[in-house]
Amino acid sequence: MNLVTIEHLTKSYTERLLFDDTDFSINEGEKIGLIGINGTGKSTLLKIVAGLETPDSGTLVHGRNLDVRYLPQNPQFTAGDTIMESILRDNERHPHLWDMESQAKAMLTKVGVEDFDQKVETLSGGQRKRVALVSTLMADTDILVLDEPTNHLDSQMADWLEEYLGRFRGAILMVTHDRYFLDSVSNRIVELDKGKLYSYQANYEGYLKLKAERLDMALASERKRQSILKVELEWMQRGARARSTKQKAHIQRYEALRDQKGPAFDREVELESLSSRLGRTTVEIQNLEKAYGSHVLIKDFSYIFLKNDRIGIIGPNGSGKTTLMKMIAGWEKPAGGTIQMGQTVKLAYFSQENEDMDESLKVIDYIRNVAEYVKTRDGKLSASQMLERFLFPASVQYTTVSRLSGGEKRRLYLLRILMDAPNVLLLDEPTNDLDIQTLTILEDYLDSFQGIVIAVSHDRYFLDRVVRRIFAFEGGGKVTQYEGGFTDYQARLTAGQAKEAEPGPRPREEKKASRKTWGSVKKLKFTYQEQKDWEVIESEIEALEEAIGDVEKRMEAAASDFVKLKELMEEKECREAALEEKMERWMYLNDLAEKIAEENKKQQ
């Protein structure tokens, strides 16, 4: 059954044509993921379906007595309401109002909101979005229209929302950047591309395959058109006389073929790997402590960041992830411990709030304030050229920042950060409000980035794609390190929980086991090989660092000799890999040495 039909949709915003005589529909039971580049009109389409905006032209037909609930990107609340009052106000027509408060409390707890009497005006941006999400989901509705529902949700909350929407019986139209979420929930992908809407009856993985086929067909058609046009052009150039009706028709066919537009493709966001040289000392954290009153965020945390480290930081909202980033960036001071920065460290912080964005500036001036020109592999590029590569054409560059969409502002903020050529990159929820195409290019950029990347993210796909080590905030100030991406972390966590759930020995067996092992507890100490490694490892690390420095000097001297330079780059990569291995071994042995010293101290 058809719920919503839109025909010949045309809509402009200022000088931008968002929809160009295109059609769209929603059928019963469909779960539609709407994707496209930021600023092309995704949120506008959601508002049109929700009845909050009207098209410039075209027809919009809703089914009879159709109920639509809309979750905006930035929800608004009635001042003075508590969280619970706000949800009850939004759902006054709910058929089971008597049971609604208990349902709302259960759902709010799922998304990490526990103070139901807190005033809405005191909520953070993330809390406001989660409260609005619960209020929207509580509705007894035919269509859920959701704009970025996974923003500000940690991985457990996103898992819960996936399951909830999977069970939802109505239709769903949503915009989200979370590719795992799209793949799990959607059964249809609609792509907004240059004013037209293209529908794919598939989840996200299926869409990627079907889109590749569509583009291949479009390219094949264009090649055929160009081939025919070439033959027709030769006929015209031979001086064909337009006396007969047949010849006139031939000329008209040629002109129609000539004037036909070929397929247009989006320019991709092109990111050059801009970074500064990073010396031996990077970022060293020793015994870090941070708490707010009795709420302990970080307790006795130490880590020495390695060159080209790729760290993902995860944990529940409010656990201290952003606080750790701000302490590394120097925005906040630790309560205890030290953070030491190497002399060559050039740090950039891509924060959640776009703090330094003056929206009264023109787009071009916002970037020129960082650098007028920047060096890339393609040579020296101006701020205007870099903006072009970031999908900001000349027509947009002289408008004010305030006129950009939320996603475009994030993309612009990202360009400003990267143009400063940092070698330590702090990314705080980088996937929020960025479109999937920009995320894909950012991920490719990070592959070649010569420096350290530290990312706080709830985006499971991004973490799997980019990071090689996870720092998990596990409560009570504990930060645990796991090797691999998010899926590796989740697998180890699941395996650990399964092991804990195994039935333990019966009381009698437990006593026997206790008597058996009491006299055989081994004293903690180095093995022979560990002792041997511990004695020489610092000198080996120092030798490797000196060797890398020597290779870098030889690379500078051989800048014009491509063959020699290639050999030296390979040698450098080999030595850096060896250094990374040694540093990891040193960290293990150092931790073990501290534990041995602590045990010996207790026994004295």
Side-chain angles (χ1 to χ4, degrees):
M1 180 182 168
N2 193 267
L3 301 177
V4 175
T5 302
I6 304 175
E7 293 179 336
H8 305 294
L9 171 62
T10 301
K11 178 77 174 177
S12 296
Y13 176 72
T14 61
E15 72 281 356
R16 299 188 197 186
L17 181 63
L18 300 180
F19 301 100
D20 183 13
D21 191 22
T22 192
D23 300 332
F24 177 68
S25 65
I26 303 175
N27 295 314
E28 204 170 43
E30 284 192 318
K31 295 175 180 177
I32 302 169
L34 177 63
I35 63 176
I37 295 172
N38 287 332
T40 54
K42 299 190 300 295
S43 292
T44 301
L45 180 61
L46 265 55
K47 289 174 185 174
I48 289 172
V49 170
L52 300 174
E53 285 201 22
T54 55
D56 294 339
S57 64
T59 58
L60 168 64
V61 179
H62 275 187
R64 186 176 294 178
N65 299 322
L66 187 76
D67 188 72
V68 181
R69 280 299 297 267
Y70 170 61
L71 172 71
Q73 270 194 45
N74 300 301
Q76 302 297 317
F77 296 88
T78 302
D81 276 358
T82 65
I83 289 171
M84 189 54 63
E85 287 169 348
S86 177
I87 291 173
L88 294 174
R89 180 194 297 276
D90 288 346
N91 293 278
E92 288 174 344
R93 293 181 298 161
H94 195 283
H96 304 295
L97 197 59
W98 57 272
D99 191 35
M100 191 175 171
E101 190 167 338
S102 60
Q103 291 177 22
K105 285 179 179 178
M107 205 177 281
L108 285 165
T109 304
K110 289 283 187 185
V111 297
V113 177
E114 296 179 351
D115 184 358
F116 312 127
D117 296 322
Q118 187 176 352
K119 297 289 185 181
V120 288
E121 58 263 33
T122 65
L123 300 176
S124 68
Q127 289 171 321
R128 292 167 75 88
K129 187 65 180 273
R130 281 178 273 144
V131 169
L133 174 63
V134 167
S135 184
T136 305
L137 296 180
M138 289 297 300
D140 183 32
T141 188
D142 301 301
I143 303 178
L144 284 174
V145 178
L146 309 174
D147 201 346
E148 297 289 2
T150 59
N151 275 9
H152 309 290
L153 298 185
D154 63 33
S155 57
Q156 286 184 326
M157 295 173 193
D159 287 340
W160 167 80
L161 184 59
E162 272 182 22
E163 290 177 17
Y164 184 90
L165 295 181
R167 295 192 305 269
F168 180 68
R169 293 182 181 179
I172 298 170
L173 172 63
M174 61 181 174
V175 171
T176 179
H177 60 264
D178 189 322
R179 286 153 285 183
Y180 281 161
F181 189 85
L182 265 179
D183 211 39
S184 173
V185 174
S186 61
N187 55 27
R188 178 181 163 204
I189 297 292
V190 173
E191 182 180 22
L192 176 54
D193 185 17
K194 290 175 287 299
K196 301 291 185 185
L197 291 160
Y198 298 91
S199 181
Y200 304 85
Q201 294 295 333
N203 62 2
Y204 183 71
E205 185 181 353
Y207 148 77
L208 292 174
K209 295 174 185 174
L210 292 171
K211 182 183 179 180
E213 290 173 11
R214 176 174 78 82
L215 295 180
D216 286 345
M217 287 172 65
L219 285 169
S221 297
E222 176 61 10
R223 283 193 295 267
K224 186 176 180 181
R225 183 180 78 90
Q226 292 293 341
S227 178
I228 296 169
L229 195 58
K230 186 179 178 183
V231 173
E232 294 293 312
L233 183 60
E234 287 173 359
W235 181 82
M236 290 290 292
Q237 287 173 341
R238 283 200 299 268
R241 284 173 286 181
R243 280 185 288 182
S244 71
T245 304
K246 187 178 285 188
Q247 285 172 325
K248 283 181 179 177
H250 199 150
I251 291 169
Q252 286 169 355
R253 282 200 304 274
Y254 159 75
E255 288 174 344
L257 198 65
R258 178 198 63 195
D259 296 338
Q260 182 182 324
K261 288 182 179 179
F265 299 101
D266 283 321
R267 285 190 60 195
E268 290 188 335
V269 181
E270 297 177 37
L271 289 173
E272 300 290 347
S273 183
L274 310 172
S275 59
S276 309
R277 181 185 170 276
L278 188 60
R280 293 178 195 172
T281 305
T282 58
V283 181
E284 298 184 1
I285 298 176
Q286 294 292 336
N287 309 116
L288 198 67
E289 306 269 351
K290 187 69 175 180
Y292 291 111
S294 61
H295 183 38
V296 179
L297 297 178
I298 301 168
K299 187 176 181 182
D300 195 25
F301 174 64
S302 299
Y303 185 77
I304 298 173
F305 288 90
L306 309 176
K307 287 183 181 179
N308 297 319
D309 245 345
R310 298 291 186 270
I311 305 294
I313 302 176
I314 64 172
N317 291 317
S319 58
K321 305 182 301 296
T322 294
T323 302
L324 175 59
M325 297 284 267
K326 287 181 176 177
M327 286 192 289
I328 295 172
W331 291 17
E332 285 196 23
K333 291 184 178 180
T338 60
I339 300 175
Q340 183 183 347
M341 295 284 175
Q343 289 185 345
T344 58
V345 167
K346 191 173 183 182
L347 188 143
Y349 182 24
F350 183 60
S351 66
Q352 288 191 50
E353 293 83 16
N354 304 355
E355 276 92 350
D356 63 345
M357 184 167 274
D358 182 350
E359 297 198 6
S360 66
L361 288 175
K362 291 177 181 174
V363 170
I364 185 78
D365 293 332
Y366 179 72
I367 295 302
R368 279 177 176 162
N369 285 348
V370 179
E372 184 70 48
Y373 292 92
V374 66
K375 287 183 180 178
T376 72
R377 288 176 297 183
D378 298 336
K380 205 174 183 183
L381 294 180
S382 67
S384 179
Q385 288 170 314
M386 286 299 290
L387 281 165
E388 285 273 359
R389 292 186 170 211
F390 251 65
L391 302 183
F392 293 104
S395 59
V396 175
Q397 292 179 18
Y398 287 89
T399 61
T400 57
V401 173
S402 61
R403 297 178 70 179
L404 301 179
S405 72
E408 286 175 309
K409 288 174 186 175
R410 288 294 280 171
R411 195 195 313 147
L412 183 66
Y413 183 47
L414 178 62
L415 173 58
R416 181 185 170 102
I417 291 289
L418 297 178
M419 277 196 70
D420 206 25
N423 50 33
V424 176
L425 196 52
L426 305 180
L427 304 173
D428 197 352
E429 295 294 355
T431 63
N432 280 3
D433 300 319
L434 288 182
D435 58 74
I436 290 172
Q437 186 180 352
T438 305
L439 285 176
T440 302
I441 305 302
L442 173 61
E443 288 157 1
D444 291 341
Y445 166 84
L446 294 176
D447 286 342
S448 60
F449 179 72
Q450 296 297 307
I452 296 168
V453 178
I454 308 167
V456 169
S457 182
H458 293 136
D459 189 316
R460 298 156 294 175
Y461 185 97
F462 180 82
L463 290 169
D464 277 343
R465 175 70 178 77
V466 171
V467 311
R468 299 194 288 267
R469 187 167 292 141
I470 295 285
F471 289 166
F473 278 68
E474 297 182 338
K478 185 181 179 184
V479 182
T480 306
Q481 180 179 321
Y482 297 86
E483 295 305 306
F486 181 82
T487 302
D488 300 313
Y489 155 77
Q490 211 167 33
R492 288 179 188 175
L493 209 62
T494 304
Q497 288 168 350
K499 194 172 181 181
E500 283 178 14
E502 287 176 5
R506 286 178 297 216
R508 186 176 293 179
E509 290 173 343
E510 198 169 30
K511 284 179 183 178
K512 283 168 70 178
S514 176
R515 284 196 300 271
K516 186 176 178 182
T517 57
W518 174 258
S520 59
V521 174
K522 292 183 179 179
K523 184 181 176 183
L524 187 65
K525 64 178 182 178
F526 279 133
T527 64
Y528 173 80
Q529 187 60 49
E530 286 169 344
Q531 182 65 45
K532 195 174 176 183
D533 289 351
W534 181 238
E535 288 168 0
V536 298
I537 197 162
E538 287 190 353
S539 59
E540 287 175 341
I541 288 170
E542 192 175 338
L544 277 168
E545 287 177 335
E546 286 175 1
I548 290 167
D550 179 60
V551 173
E552 286 173 345
K553 286 178 185 175
R554 284 186 283 150
M555 284 171 69
E556 289 174 13
S560 58
D561 186 344
F562 177 79
V563 176
K564 183 68 176 173
L565 195 60
K566 188 172 182 293
E567 290 174 359
L568 290 169
M569 284 174 71
E570 288 172 355
E571 182 185 344
K572 185 187 174 190
E573 285 173 5
C574 185
R575 291 187 184 278
E576 283 180 337
L579 178 60
E580 191 168 341
E581 246 179 51
K582 289 289 182 189
M583 288 297 292
E584 287 175 357
R585 179 68 169 165
W586 178 86
M587 288 170 65
Y588 163 76
L589 294 172
N590 186 59
D591 286 346
L592 185 55
E594 287 177 354
K595 287 174 184 173
I596 292 169
E598 193 176 334
E599 186 176 274
N600 291 340
K601 192 175 180 182
K602 284 178 182 175
Q603 291 176 355
Q604 285 174 358

